[in-house]
Amino acid sequence: MKFVNEIYEGLAYVGVNDRKTTLFEKYIPISNGVSYNSYLFLDDKTCLMDTVEFDFTREFLANIKDALAGRNLDYLVVQHMEPDHCAAIEEVLLRYPDLTIVSNLAVFKMLGQFFGFEIKNKLVVKENDTLDLGKHMLKFILAPFVHWPEVMFTYEATTGTLFTADAFGSFGALSGNLFYDEVNEPNYLNEARRYYTNIVGKYGQNVLNAFKKLEGLELNYLCPLHGYLWRNDFSAILNMYKKLASYEAIDKEVVLIYASMYGNTEEAANILANMLAKKGLKNIKAYDVSLTDKTYLISEIFRVSHVVFLAPTYNNAMYPNLNSLLVQMENLNVSNKTFAIVENGTWCATCGKILASYLENLRNSIILESKVTIKSSLSDSNIDELDTLAEALKASIEE
Ligand code: FEO
């Protein structure tokens, strides 16, 4: 192996880094890129774990060739059929036509849908089936809807390695170092949270179901399809996942999300934030819904216990940028939150009612009664009402 990295003896990292794509899935900003991870067992048999996004095929094939050092490729395990991981399968098959594709029936069905080519050698596996590579033995663990329905994890018992598909992944390209414990990136877990909540957030119960199957397994390495690998101490990422998958807030804190065309509703957000701070609340965050990408807001909404929406009425309806956030919250199963509403309207303030109709549909949501209605700009009585709302939020957070 001249240039690819070894994870341990017998397992090489052959993934690639994408610093070209600006929008993951064409809507999620990734200013630090993303990695498409792939792994290669070099045992009596050689076995590739997943492939990469199509644009990176040339580099990927070079990595495989380097790691194989003249050997043939015996197996390709496909754990997930989203094209950021499966798009290079045909090219791998053209290079290594005798390899056997190993996966479950749902994967083979999707392979037909995406590519339509004839698969010469295939091995269909079911829950807990194994594949003997020599020193390493792979066991397959179905993990449906840990993003897509065909997803499976793969466990290698002699080393305690779990290949986790999209689970435990993150945005951010890798720069040589493969393990989270080798870098100093304080924002990485935030990005892992933004990745989880926006990509897998809808499927919390499925993630918990998959985790249940892992109980009792000795785990030394977690190898996701994106981002850093984890070894030995998984507490930071595991604890975060357990909370997020259960739709439990990580922090008993409040975020304010406001829409404001001319500054009047924004002023209410700033004053409310100050009032909350004066009452002793910490780590309050305020975001302009028009200036903060929705994927960051979704990540923040999952993180905290309390969310205040402040919005103007727009065409007798919801402000468009806030509307799309609310639709996404419902789509991602946001649950167990306490909300507060501040509405604004010059002749007809109706958006509070519309906001409430979205929020009360979310599972286990509480909407505080102290709604504030602004008529164009803040009145003296509005200031008092904001103070009452701040008090109600503090009481609710301290419950
Ligand atoms: Fe990274 Fe669901 O694909």
Side-chain angles (χ1 to χ4, degrees):
M1 265 186 284
K2 291 198 176 108
F3 53 84
V4 298
N5 283 340
E6 222 177 35
I7 295 160
Y8 48 71
E9 197 184 337
L11 183 64
Y13 177 88
V14 290
V16 296
N17 288 293
D18 178 357
R19 296 184 181 84
K20 295 176 184 145
T21 300
T22 53
L23 293 175
F24 189 76
E25 295 190 354
K26 282 290 187 287
Y27 83 99
I28 302 174
I30 45 168
S31 53
N32 294 317
V34 68
S35 70
Y36 309 114
N37 297 346
S38 172
Y39 308 90
L40 180 53
F41 277 103
L42 299 158
D43 202 333
D44 295 347
K45 298 287 184 184
T46 58
C47 178
L48 182 66
M49 306 296 296
D50 296 296
T51 73
V52 301
E53 208 274 337
F54 189 78
D55 291 353
F56 299 85
T57 304
R58 189 186 62 81
E59 185 184 344
F60 179 55
L61 290 171
N63 288 351
I64 294 170
K65 188 176 173 193
D66 181 47
L68 284 173
R71 296 184 64 187
N72 204 356
L73 183 57
D74 297 308
Y75 295 112
L76 164 61
V77 171
V78 180
Q79 301 183 109
H80 184 16
M81 277 300 295
E82 192 161 12
D84 51 339
H85 309 296
C86 79
I89 289 177
E90 189 169 13
E91 300 304 312
V92 171
L93 273 174
L94 287 170
R95 288 289 174 101
Y96 305 98
D98 295 327
L99 73 75
T100 298
I101 296 186
V102 182
S103 199
N104 61 69
L105 266 180
V107 162
F108 282 110
K109 186 169 176 230
M110 288 187 185
L111 264 169
Q113 290 172 197
F114 272 108
F115 302 112
F117 54 68
E118 207 49 47
I119 298 169
K120 194 167 96 183
N121 302 314
K122 67 177 175 182
L123 176 61
V124 180
V125 293
K126 302 184 296 302
E127 182 86 281
N128 293 327
D129 279 358
T130 56
L131 177 66
D132 190 352
L133 300 180
K135 295 180 196 68
H136 301 94
M137 176 80 80
L138 303 184
K139 183 167 97 164
F140 304 104
I141 301 167
L142 302 182
F145 287 104
V146 182
H147 198 200
W148 281 18
E150 84 295 359
V151 168
M152 66 180 194
F153 295 166
T154 305
Y155 179 65
E156 202 293 300
T158 60
T159 51
T161 305
L162 184 68
F163 298 89
T164 60
D166 275 340
F168 309 118
S170 180
F171 304 121
L174 308 183
S175 303
N177 296 121
L178 295 178
F179 289 97
Y180 176 69
D181 61 43
E182 294 177 307
V183 297
N184 180 13
E185 290 187 20
N187 196 41
Y188 185 75
L189 280 176
N190 291 337
E191 279 296 85
R193 189 182 72 237
R194 187 167 70 98
Y195 174 85
Y196 172 86
T197 54
N198 285 281
I199 305 281
V200 193
K202 183 181 182 72
Y203 306 110
Q205 188 54 53
N206 302 85
V207 173
L208 294 176
N209 293 345
F211 282 3
K212 233 178 160 31
K213 295 184 184 180
L214 306 179
E215 282 171 10
L217 294 183
E218 184 192 339
L219 295 179
N220 297 317
Y221 299 90
L222 299 180
C223 298
L225 287 175
H226 301 285
Y228 289 114
L229 287 64
W230 294 77
R231 62 185 163 192
N232 304 322
D233 181 5
F234 314 122
S235 52
I237 190 90
L238 268 184
N239 291 342
M240 184 175 87
Y241 260 64
K242 281 178 187 162
K243 290 219 163 181
L244 294 173
S246 309
Y247 301 97
E248 256 181 66
I250 293 171
D251 299 308
K252 267 198 129 185
E253 290 174 356
V254 58
V255 298
L256 293 80
I257 296 173
Y258 64 88
S260 188
M261 290 178 280
Y262 301 107
N264 290 298
T265 313
E266 182 177 39
E267 187 183 17
N270 288 333
I271 289 173
L272 180 59
N274 285 348
M275 287 171 166
L276 290 166
K278 279 186 187 173
K279 291 178 195 301
L281 273 66
K282 305 282 188 220
N283 206 28
I284 306 153
K285 302 280 182 206
Y287 298 99
D288 185 330
V289 74
S290 300
L291 299 178
T292 311
D293 181 81
K294 268 185 283 303
T295 60
Y296 289 90
L297 296 177
I298 287 290
S299 181
E300 281 291 79
I301 291 166
F302 267 79
R303 179 181 68 82
V304 298
S305 54
H306 289 66
V307 183
V308 184
F309 286 106
L310 308 95
T313 305
Y314 193 86
N315 284 336
N316 204 24
M318 187 58 57
Y319 189 73
N321 289 345
L322 190 51
N323 201 60
S324 58
L325 176 65
L326 291 165
V327 169
Q328 190 67 340
M329 284 169 65
E330 186 177 11
N331 195 23
L332 293 172
N333 275 341
V334 168
S335 308
N336 306 320
K337 301 292 169 194
T338 298
F339 297 106
I341 294 172
V342 177
E343 62 178 354
N344 197 348
T346 293
W347 63 96
C348 180
T350 55
C351 74
K353 205 170 154 194
I354 304 167
L355 252 168
S357 71
Y358 276 102
L359 300 177
E360 64 200 12
N361 273 340
L362 303 175
R363 193 165 59 91
N364 291 340
S365 66
I366 295 169
I367 303 175
L368 295 180
E369 282 173 9
S370 328
K371 184 174 87 177
V372 177
T373 300
I374 302 166
K375 291 287 179 70
S376 305
S377 67
L378 283 168
S379 64
D380 288 346
S381 62
N382 283 153
I383 301 293
D384 294 339
E385 288 159 6
L386 285 175
D387 195 60
T388 304
L389 177 57
E391 204 53 55
L393 281 162
K394 175 181 157 71
S396 173
I397 282 177
E398 288 175 353
E399 252 174 24

